[in-house]
Amino acid sequence: MPLLLKNARLFDPSIKLDCPGSIIIEKEIITHVIKKGHDLPDITEYIPSDKQFDLNGAIIAPGFIDMHTHLREPGEEHKETIKTGTHAAVAGGFTSVACMPNTIPVNDCAAVTEYILSKAEKYGFCDVFPIAAITPGLKGKGLTEFGELKEAGAVAFSDDGRPVKNPEMMRRSLEYSKLVDVPIISHCEDIELASNGVMHEGRVSTKLGLGGIPCAAETIMILRDISLARLSGARLHIAHVSNAESVEAIRRAKADGLNVTAETAPHYFTLTHEAVEGYNTNAKMNPPLRTFKDMQSIIEGLSDSTIDAIATDHAPHHADDKQLEFARAANGIIGLETAVSLALKCFHNSDLSLERIVDAMSLKPAKILNLPTCSIKTGLKANLTVIDLESRFIVNPLEFKSKSKNTPFIGMKLKGRPIMTIVKGKPVWIL
Ligand SMILES: [Zn+2]
């Protein structure tokens, strides 16, 4: 049965589309894009009223893609599953997620990649694109079978959660990645420099008596990897950029014409290390929350596209892993159900344009991961995110679809949120 979304704002920066209008979807495909002032086609008469949605001016954008999610399955299903994680994704406006390989077992062979894809096919609310490990077991020694993994469905390689410590191994991974035309996603961290720390090294860590992680622990590794990207000519994507110096390093690499892209996560442009005060373990992540100046640099980097993408780094943890003394608590927060609203906070503050937000959450992730671009064009698959810019709400993890509740944004008042998510022509989530 066809689906009519009417009275919307059609918004797709990839084709410079921004106008009032309606769309009709039939069997996964956008069949009509009707700009305001044009008559709805005859087929509209045959669409039943429960398949017609008046969006009251809400935005229809190309489907959002989270290029950095931890779905925890296989192995840690008490934290999240492919089913609950993708449910959280669509509730957060995402039509696709790319999942990191640090599961148990690690996604380092075709069998695990195929397992994830078959589970996603069966239980997933949205498309799932597995990211495979660079090294077997994330142990940093030897490379996984890039060709086989790509064949099985891997869209990128990463040892996320830890760096590839050995520069020779990282060089080889970049060189092999060129042969299969798949990007390497680098978790940039100098383990030794970071080893004494549990939060950003600065005024707050001193006050709280907690070990600090200097910005340099991230930037040193970014500089090394940029240098290896230059040497190999390969595509390097830098995960979860957190500080000013790193943004500057990436800006220079891009100015030099290197094949380097980067992402940040909403917490790095929304929170600072002050969020840790009171030993709040929901503000513990790696890399850690930085200073106000760093936060400003991240926003500038996003605004001028030095940082290409916004990804969630959705990292579900059971309460038992967070209700511990700060130093022992697990790193990471959930992010799928707050990311779009936090990005829109930057829009309402005039820090980021709507074009840039859609670019950073849909178009750029698709490009970096070689995924088919979502676009509001007839004949294309209908993966769409519908956003109400004005809807106000208070963040309440009890309403989340994620199995985990570890978010530092509890109680935050936000304006703007996804109200409908359409995956392959089906409204898989309606607020
Ligand atoms: Zn990471």
Side-chain angles (χ1 to χ4, degrees):
M1 197 60 83
L3 187 72
L4 170 67
L5 305 176
K6 61 186 177 187
N7 194 16
R9 175 176 169 194
L10 309 176
F11 191 85
D12 181 355
S14 74
I15 49 171
K16 299 205 162 37
L17 175 69
D18 182 7
C19 70
S22 306
I23 62 172
I24 295 174
I25 298 162
E26 256 186 290
K27 293 189 188 119
E28 297 195 8
I29 304 294
I30 301 172
T31 53
H32 300 78
V33 177
I34 311 120
K35 293 182 185 174
K36 195 182 172 183
H38 293 75
D39 291 334
L40 293 174
D42 294 343
I43 183 183
T44 315
E45 290 173 34
Y46 304 102
I47 302 175
S49 57
D50 66 334
K51 298 284 177 191
Q52 298 197 16
F53 293 91
D54 186 333
L55 295 179
N56 284 315
I59 285 174
I60 299 180
F64 284 12
I65 299 166
D66 182 23
M67 63 179 299
H68 190 142
T69 303
H70 297 272
L71 289 176
R72 304 297 191 212
E73 187 178 359
E76 292 184 292
E77 289 84 353
H78 63 295
K79 296 181 175 183
E80 198 79 284
T81 62
I82 288 167
K83 188 177 177 183
T84 60
T86 56
H87 201 185
V90 297
F94 293 99
T95 58
S96 303
V97 296
C99 57
M100 284 297 174
N102 61 339
T103 45
I104 306 166
V106 169
N107 180 12
D108 58 6
C109 63
V112 180
T113 304
E114 284 158 5
Y115 173 85
I116 292 166
L117 285 172
S118 74
K119 280 270 176 159
E121 182 70 39
K122 228 174 170 173
Y123 302 109
F125 285 79
C126 66
D127 288 329
V128 173
F129 296 99
I131 296 167
I134 297 172
T135 68
L138 310 175
K139 291 201 167 76
K141 295 197 177 90
L143 295 180
T144 56
E145 295 288 345
F146 284 11
E148 273 176 45
L149 284 159
K150 185 188 177 180
E151 189 89 345
V155 295
F157 298 102
S158 181
D159 274 3
D160 184 56
R162 49 181 94 171
V164 177
K165 204 174 148 188
N166 178 339
E168 198 272 332
M169 194 59 61
M170 190 62 173
R171 177 190 182 180
R172 262 173 44 203
S173 79
L174 285 162
E175 278 166 357
Y176 277 106
S177 76
K178 276 202 307 186
L179 301 176
V180 290
D181 188 29
V182 166
I184 294 288
I185 300 178
S186 182
H187 168 113
C188 289
E189 180 184 12
D190 185 295
I191 291 284
E192 274 86 15
L193 200 49
S195 65
N196 296 320
V198 292
M199 68 172 294
H200 172 66
E201 179 179 296
R203 184 176 44 76
V204 181
S205 65
T206 305
K207 185 174 147 195
L208 297 178
L210 293 170
I213 302 170
C215 290
E218 173 180 277
T219 314
I220 283 175
M221 210 54 143
I222 290 180
L223 289 168
R224 181 201 78 171
D225 286 354
I226 286 171
S227 187
L228 293 172
R230 190 189 305 271
L231 182 65
S232 61
R235 284 202 284 151
L236 169 71
H237 178 78
I238 297 160
H240 44 55
V241 176
S242 74
N243 76 72
E245 222 184 310
S246 298
V247 175
E248 198 40 49
I250 295 159
R251 192 173 279 127
R252 283 199 303 271
K254 289 192 165 190
D256 284 354
L258 300 182
N259 244 333
V260 173
T261 55
E263 78 193 25
T264 191
H267 35 280
Y268 300 117
F269 58 73
T270 313
L271 299 174
T272 64
H273 58 161
E274 269 99 359
V276 177
E277 302 230 30
Y279 302 92
N280 177 10
T281 58
N282 278 336
K284 185 181 179 187
M285 65 276 292
N286 185 22
L289 297 170
R290 304 290 188 181
T291 65
F292 183 77
K293 182 179 141 272
D294 293 306
M295 189 178 82
Q296 290 299 111
S297 298
I298 295 289
I299 293 170
E300 278 164 32
L302 271 171
S303 178
D304 71 9
S305 296
T306 297
I307 300 176
D308 302 81
I310 297 171
T312 67
D313 199 357
H314 180 80
H317 284 296
H318 192 267
D320 293 349
D321 300 308
K322 281 291 193 182
Q323 285 165 5
L324 293 170
E325 64 176 285
F326 194 86
R328 287 173 58 222
N331 277 312
I333 62 166
I334 53 170
L336 285 167
E337 289 167 87
T338 45
V340 172
S341 298
L342 293 169
L344 292 174
K345 191 173 193 282
C346 294
F347 164 70
H348 289 301
N349 292 343
S350 305
D351 285 330
L352 290 178
S353 69
L354 215 46
E355 286 83 356
R356 189 71 258 281
I357 290 171
V358 173
D359 184 46
M361 302 188 85
S362 175
L363 310 174
K364 283 282 159 54
K367 195 170 171 210
I368 293 165
L369 298 176
N370 300 331
L371 307 180
T373 329
C374 303
S375 193
I376 303 176
K377 280 187 201 162
T378 55
L380 289 188
K381 192 175 278 184
N383 278 357
L384 301 165
T385 299
V386 182
I387 295 167
D388 180 345
L389 289 176
E390 302 302 322
S391 171
R392 289 169 192 270
F393 69 105
I394 296 172
V395 177
N396 177 6
L398 295 178
E399 292 170 359
F400 286 170
K401 304 300 173 208
S402 172
K403 245 188 195 188
S404 292
K405 311 293 171 204
N406 51 308
T407 171
F409 298 111
I410 299 170
M412 190 181 257
K413 289 179 183 161
L414 291 170
K415 184 174 144 188
R417 66 194 307 191
I419 55 167
M420 185 189 284
T421 306
I422 294 172
V423 175
K424 295 190 199 106
K426 283 205 189 85
V428 287
W429 187 79
I430 300 171
L431 182 67

